[in-house]
Amino acid sequence: MGAALLLAACAEQKTTVDITDEAEFAIAIHGGAGTITRASLTAEQEAEYKEKLAEAVNAGHAILAAGGTSMDAVVEAVQIMEASPLFNSGIGAVYTFDGEHELDASIMDGATLEAGAVAGVRTVKSPIELARTVMEESVHVMLSGRGAEVFAAEQGLALVENSYFNTERRYQQLLDAKEKLGVADKQAWIELDDRYKYGTVGAVARDQHGNLAAATSTGGMTAKRYGRIGDSPIIGAGTWADNDSCAVSATGHGEYFIRYHVAADICSRMKYQQVDVVTAGDTVIHDVLLPAGGTGGVIIVDHQGNIHMPFNTEGMYRASRSGDGEAEVAIYKD
Ligand code: ASP
């Protein structure tokens, strides 16, 4: 068999794993990790977050229950959170040092290992939709800045003014952060309260056909400068999906998630060490990332539909729902 034919055969084998006899479908979502304590949220705020998380996870679950794809489910869940001012993605995205928004997103298909990502986009209404369009309609994996916006316009995606993403709460955080940061100072950045940093959204799912998908969307970190890009649009760092192991979406201090290629590392441990989803996730988040100084968390669904959502911060906005089970929504550690 020629090399091209062999490659085609291998790709074909990976495309759709139809495990109908154990077709557990499942979805998990996150809305960011950080210093989220009971004292930091009012009862009304807590209820608002829980309601929006439930709406997003239920919308994704409905797609899976109807036999839809994990790809459609994760996009739907992420778009609901992008449209909500509660999270650091789409409306409600954090501000850059210069008082604007630069959005990052990525998506991966566990059946084909195809992926799409965008970084530093300013006028695309739904960055996750653009990431998916890059995956499906371009020959590339990652587009950035102005070029990504030209591509979005050519593809007929909805464009908005950058101010569409404005919220007063995030603007106050920028003013606050700038006061604390002064000039660009490495130590000040490290010490900056993670309230200013996190809030990314993400979703992972396994559909009834056994296919996995992962999606992540973010405004990045408050007061970011110099075209800084975090882990969220980086395949292997903030997002990963492989039908053979698991699908992961991350949130936290992006620089660490990039250096420790967190999302792919979790799935690789499952694949090559044959460990379960809890062992793989906990090892990376608690035993690798935390000692290195990296804070944050991940949501994981494995190839059998098992869900695990480890984090090493005080809290992580999160929700999950499997098969005919109920939605589970949580914020704090306990
Ligand atoms: N990981 C994101 C970044 O570093 C931030 C977050 O998760 O909230 O850009």
Side-chain angles (χ1 to χ4, degrees):
M1 197 185 285
L5 258 183
L6 186 65
L7 272 180
C10 291
E12 186 59 40
Q13 259 175 27
K14 269 200 98 47
T15 311
T16 306
V17 188
D18 211 338
I19 321 173
T20 37
D21 53 337
E22 47 165 283
E24 183 66 33
F25 59 97
I27 180 165
I29 64 170
H30 70 76
T35 313
I36 314 163
T37 58
R38 284 200 164 74
S40 67
L41 290 180
T42 63
E44 292 77 45
Q45 286 170 329
E46 185 179 318
E48 242 188 310
Y49 274 105
K50 285 188 165 167
E51 204 178 303
K52 191 51 76 174
L53 288 165
E55 180 189 335
V57 84
N58 286 333
H61 183 270
I63 290 173
L64 299 174
T69 66
S70 52
M71 187 55 64
D72 285 344
V74 294
V75 169
E76 177 71 17
V78 165
Q79 283 188 315
I80 287 171
M81 292 186 282
E82 283 183 341
S84 162
L86 293 174
F87 306 102
N88 172 18
S89 69
I91 299 171
V94 298
Y95 285 77
T96 64
F97 195 88
D98 297 326
E100 296 194 319
H101 311 279
E102 292 174 359
L103 311 175
D104 304 331
S106 68
I107 196 158
M108 187 160 181
D109 181 340
T112 59
L113 300 196
E114 286 178 358
V118 292
V121 294
R122 299 156 33 90
T123 59
V124 178
K125 189 175 180 186
S126 171
I128 199 64
E129 183 185 20
L130 179 57
R132 182 177 186 171
T133 309
V134 170
M135 177 178 76
E136 291 177 346
E137 305 299 334
S138 86
V139 293
H140 306 297
V141 168
M142 191 172 196
L143 299 181
S144 71
R146 182 81 194 110
E149 287 166 358
V150 171
F151 175 74
E154 282 177 10
Q155 293 291 321
L157 268 55
L159 301 179
V160 292
E161 293 293 323
N162 193 250
S163 58
Y164 169 81
F165 305 112
N166 286 0
T167 53
E168 186 53 31
R169 177 172 76 112
R170 295 294 187 194
Y171 189 63
Q172 288 307 324
Q173 284 184 353
L174 171 67
L175 298 184
D176 229 26
K178 278 176 95 163
E179 204 173 296
K180 293 194 172 69
L181 282 172
V183 286
D185 168 349
K186 207 170 166 182
Q187 193 54 33
W189 250 113
I190 292 165
E191 286 167 9
L192 191 66
D193 190 316
D194 64 10
R195 181 159 49 99
Y196 301 112
K197 297 176 181 168
Y198 309 144
T200 295
V201 308
V204 293
R206 179 188 191 275
D207 62 31
Q208 296 191 37
H209 313 287
N211 290 322
L212 303 183
T216 311
S217 181
T218 191
M221 282 185 172
T222 300
K224 64 184 182 181
R225 299 180 88 173
Y226 316 119
R228 180 263 183 192
I229 294 166
D231 61 311
S232 306
I234 298 189
I235 298 302
T239 302
W240 184 260
D242 178 352
N243 276 6
D244 287 347
S245 52
C246 62
V248 177
S249 170
T251 176
H253 195 155
E255 280 69 9
Y256 289 88
F257 283 73
I258 294 172
R259 290 167 51 213
Y260 289 85
H261 64 110
V262 165
D265 188 24
I266 291 170
C267 296
S268 296
R269 284 168 190 266
M270 288 197 68
K271 191 163 172 172
Y272 302 122
Q273 296 184 331
Q274 300 284 309
V275 296
D276 62 31
V277 64
V278 175
T279 307
D282 285 355
T283 305
V284 173
I285 295 303
H286 299 294
D287 302 344
V288 176
L289 205 56
L290 190 59
T295 49
V298 289
I299 49 171
I300 319 168
V301 62
D302 76 6
H303 57 105
Q304 293 174 313
N306 299 305
I307 288 170
H308 187 46
M309 303 188 278
F311 53 96
N312 62 30
T313 50
E314 293 289 332
M316 180 167 81
Y317 297 106
R318 60 198 188 278
S320 63
R321 191 166 174 192
S322 307
D324 48 19
E326 294 297 308
E328 288 174 29
V329 183
I331 298 176
Y332 314 109
K333 206 180 277 175
D334 39 47

